Amino acid sequence: MERSLARETTLRVALGNIAQQFLRQLDIDLVAYVAQVGPVEADSEKPLDVSEIRQKIFQNDMHVIDQDKVEDLHQLISETKEKGDTLGGIIRLVATGLPAGLGSYVSWDTKLDAKLAAAAVGVNAVGNSGTTNRLLLGILAGSSFASQLIGDASLSKRPMKRVSQPLAKFGAEIALSPAGTLPATVIGQKLHGAEIQLEVASAQVKSAAIFAALEAGSPSTIIEKLPTRNHTEIMLRQFGADITTEADNLTIHVQPGQELLGQEVEVPGDMSSAAFWLTAGRLRESWLLMS
């Protein structure tokens, strides 16, 4: 049930992001934010335009304008969960350039603004997958929409500045928690080419940089601290990307602009997952058969 709900939420967020891109082509811009949760109001009395609202709500994981209410909301939600109860709330949508007459006013669930608000305020959940999160930072950095990545309790303790700082050199705008961890808010925008020297030897960080470089407006050079696994480069070349690695196995050149074409890929088993069981079996005094 939870997995089904997560898939449905991810699909809705993806469709909402696509809809936002389409609406921008019609000079329609919109943003949704949380105005109230239970008895706690987190709205601003001062009228704000879409860009100001977007800037404020992506500074916190509650998508509220009033930063001073974030801690109160977290406490309220925690207390409510402990009681096994639920909370209601109010989500407001602000849109500019929207023609008059769109949407039905018969009920909230059929009104256009309600559906747009539900899509625009959604977040992407990456669970416990560090690879998914770090690669998505590079992919989303060059998008035309804003996204927020949220992980579980374990992933939320892992450092993310090692990814956001290199991506910033391409022009990426990524906001992390004060501790430099998730949640991560990515304000997608046009990226530029860069020459960057990675400070950590990490295939995940390198891959995030490569994905960002593919979205940049000019060529990029990525220099690793130490050689790392080159799965990303091999796979992207197979799909048509122009990525070359120098003889030192440290310097990677990325030429953006190629059209990536779908391929048939056979993914082998993950030996790193089997290694734990193989090691445990080897430590036993008697043989252990595993399949």
Side-chain angles (χ1 to χ4, degrees), residues 23 26 28 97-105 110-114 116:
L23 290 172
L26 303 176
I28 298 173
L98 189 66
L102 287 181
S104 166
Y105 288 86
T110 58
K111 288 171 62 176
L112 177 64
D113 55 355
L116 291 174

Side-chain angles (χ1 to χ4, degrees), residues 60-63 122-129 133 147-153 155-156 182-185:
N60 62 81
D61 62 345
M62 295 301 300
H63 283 256
V123 297
N124 298 316
V126 294
N128 187 248
S129 177
N133 173 77
S147 305
Q148 188 175 62
L149 300 177
I150 297 176
D152 66 4
L155 184 59
S156 296
L182 295 181
T185 300

Side-chain angles (χ1 to χ4, degrees), residues 127-242:
N128 187 248
S129 177
T131 301
T132 300
N133 173 77
R134 286 170 172 153
L135 267 59
L136 275 176
L137 289 176
I139 293 170
L140 295 171
S143 69
S144 60
F145 50 84
S147 305
Q148 188 175 62
L149 300 177
I150 297 176
D152 66 4
S154 175
L155 184 59
S156 296
K157 297 177 182 178
R158 298 175 63 179
M160 294 298 160
K161 282 187 177 180
R162 60 180 59 185
V163 187
S164 64
Q165 290 176 343
L167 293 180
K169 296 180 181 179
F170 294 104
E173 184 176 344
I174 301 174
L176 302 173
S177 75
T181 60
L182 295 181
T185 300
V186 186
I187 308 298
Q189 55 194 294
K190 187 64 178 177
L191 304 179
H192 55 75
E195 179 175 323
I196 65 172
Q197 182 100 33
L198 299 180
E199 297 182 0
V200 295
S202 167
Q204 294 179 356
V205 176
K206 174 188 64 177
S207 297
I210 289 175
F211 279 119
L214 287 173
E215 296 295 325
S218 56
S220 298
T221 298
I222 301 166
I223 304 172
E224 293 196 83
K225 184 176 182 180
L226 293 171
T228 61
R229 293 169 295 178
N230 60 349
H231 306 333
T232 301
E233 297 95 304
I234 294 174
M235 288 290 290
L236 286 173
R237 289 192 198 106
Q238 183 174 337
F239 281 79
D242 187 350

